[in-house]
């Protein structure tokens, strides 16, 4: 039986947060332990942003130490709560101080491209022309490698107005779609930020947002405000086999 290459995705640990109730440190540790109990070891770990709620050094250190228990290389994505330079201090992130956190990594069976969708100091995201030009060139450099694109803000609408106001502007999503149309090797687009499992589509590719390890958003299209729920945390496993990607989302109860 061929063995799939396994990319575990954790999201939105928000270490240091108090606004969601519960203990974000316990949430991350619980999810890490659930990943450790899987019958298969992960080959790589992606954390799709909002690692730390206040961008404090001890918050990032807790994330780094917790993820080290997984025994696989860790790739971080910048979220709206993160500080680019703090991410660079605590994780192996290329690029100069202040620059968007974006890079490509050859994981073996899969190429990972990380894109920075944050607007520093703001909660909604953005994808400006410079970042999209970087992405276009990065994808053009390896057109035959099955690729996973990771960014914090999911580049789809959620149909929940308060969340969409915190998302990527429609023009930026369309501009990203134009780039993806030129690069069919991008097999999946993965994100966080919305604190629940949401699937959408962009340029014919599935976009998947995964749960938070901290607190989950309530399923609510009507109230006009963001609310959270007692839903369990979770994580995703992207299993790569023969150049195809199967994305499994696993709640942790
Ligand atoms: Fe978040
Ligand atoms: Fe976020």
């Amino acid at each position: 039986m061929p063995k799939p290459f396994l990319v575990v995705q954790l999201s939105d640990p928000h270490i240091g947060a108090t606004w969601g109730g519960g203990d974000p440190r316990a949430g991350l540790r619980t999810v890490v332990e659930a990943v450790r109990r899987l019958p298969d070891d992960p080959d790589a770990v992606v954390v799709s942003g909002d690692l730390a709620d206040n961008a404090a050094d001890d918050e990032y250190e807790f994330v780094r130490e917790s993820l080290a228990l997984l025994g696989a290389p860790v790739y971080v994505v910048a979220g709206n709560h993160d500080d680019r330079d703090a991410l660079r201090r605590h994780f192996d992130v290329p690029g100069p101080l202040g620059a968007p956190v974006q890079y490509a990594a050859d994981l073996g069976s899969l190429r990972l491209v990380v894109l920075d969708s944050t607007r520093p100091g703001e909660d909604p995201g953005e994808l400006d022309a410079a970042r999209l030009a970087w992405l276009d060139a990065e994808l053009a450099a390896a057109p035959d490698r099955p690729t996973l694109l990771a960014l914090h803000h999911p580049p789809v609408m959620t149909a929940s107005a308060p969340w969409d106001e915190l998302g990527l502007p429609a023009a930026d999503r369309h501009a990203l779609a134009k780039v993806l149309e030129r690069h069919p090797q991008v097999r999946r687009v993965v994100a966080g930020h919305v604190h629940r499992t949401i699937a959408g589509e962009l340029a014919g590719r599935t976009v998947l947002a995964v749960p938070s390890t901290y607190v989950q958003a309530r399923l609510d299209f009507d109230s006009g405000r963001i609310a959270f729920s007692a839903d369990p945390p979770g994580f995703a496993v992207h299993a790569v086999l023969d150049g195809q990607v199967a994305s499994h989302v696993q709640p942790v109860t």
Side-chain angles (χ1 to χ4, degrees), residues 129-230:
R131 284 181 246 182
L132 290 171
W134 174 88
L135 176 67
D136 200 16
E138 203 61 49
L139 293 174
D144 301 322
R145 302 273 295 122
T147 298
L148 188 72
L149 175 63
L151 71 172
H152 182 63
H153 297 79
V156 289
M157 67 98 191
T158 68
S160 171
W163 279 109
D164 284 336
E165 286 168 13
L166 290 178
L168 282 170
D172 296 27
R173 289 189 260 124
H174 295 150
L176 175 59
K178 291 290 179 202
V179 174
L180 291 183
E181 283 168 6
R182 294 192 281 275
H183 303 287
Q185 81 272 23
V186 177
R187 296 286 194 268
R188 186 131 311 142
V189 180
V190 299
H193 186 57
V194 289
H195 289 229
R196 60 180 292 106
T197 305
I198 300 177
E201 186 183 352
L202 188 75
R205 262 52 67 87
T206 297
V207 176
L208 182 71
V210 312
S212 166
T213 66
Y214 174 40
V215 66
Q216 313 312 311
R218 192 173 71 188
L219 183 57
D220 175 5
F221 300 98
D222 191 46
S223 72
R225 66 185 182 89
I226 284 178
F228 295 94
S229 76

Side-chain angles (χ1 to χ4, degrees), residues 12-242:
D12 294 81
H14 284 272
I15 302 304
T18 55
W19 45 264
D23 178 357
R25 292 179 188 245
L28 178 58
R29 281 294 166 96
T30 298
V31 171
V32 165
E33 284 308 311
V35 174
R36 280 162 58 96
R37 286 197 302 273
L38 293 176
D40 309 283
D41 293 332
D43 295 296
V45 177
V46 175
V47 193
S48 43
D50 287 352
L51 282 72
D53 208 56
N54 310 294
D57 285 326
D58 70 300
E59 296 170 352
Y60 285 112
E61 257 328 272
F62 183 84
V63 176
R64 198 186 62 73
E65 290 168 6
S66 300
L67 298 180
L69 300 172
L70 295 174
V74 172
Y75 301 94
V76 298
V77 179
N80 48 302
H81 284 264
D82 291 312
D83 178 87
R84 291 168 173 172
D85 295 338
L87 284 174
R88 288 195 164 89
R89 278 199 302 279
H90 295 278
F91 296 91
D92 185 19
V93 177
L97 287 178
V101 172
Q102 41 193 39
Y103 54 94
D106 195 344
L107 306 188
S109 297
L110 191 72
R111 188 166 185 250
L112 172 71
V113 176
V114 170
L115 185 62
D116 189 328
S117 63
T118 67
R119 192 192 310 172
E122 308 277 342
D123 288 325
E126 71 174 1
L127 292 172
D128 54 31
R131 284 181 246 182
L132 290 171
W134 174 88
L135 176 67
D136 200 16
E138 203 61 49
L139 293 174
D144 301 322
R145 302 273 295 122
T147 298
L148 188 72
L149 175 63
L151 71 172
H152 182 63
H153 297 79
V156 289
M157 67 98 191
T158 68
S160 171
W163 279 109
D164 284 336
E165 286 168 13
L166 290 178
L168 282 170
D172 296 27
R173 289 189 260 124
H174 295 150
L176 175 59
K178 291 290 179 202
V179 174
L180 291 183
E181 283 168 6
R182 294 192 281 275
H183 303 287
Q185 81 272 23
V186 177
R187 296 286 194 268
R188 186 131 311 142
V189 180
V190 299
H193 186 57
V194 289
H195 289 229
R196 60 180 292 106
T197 305
I198 300 177
E201 186 183 352
L202 188 75
R205 262 52 67 87
T206 297
V207 176
L208 182 71
V210 312
S212 166
T213 66
Y214 174 40
V215 66
Q216 313 312 311
R218 192 173 71 188
L219 183 57
D220 175 5
F221 300 98
D222 191 46
S223 72
R225 66 185 182 89
I226 284 178
F228 295 94
S229 76
D231 290 346
F235 64 94
V237 180
H238 307 289
V240 186
L241 199 59
D242 297 332

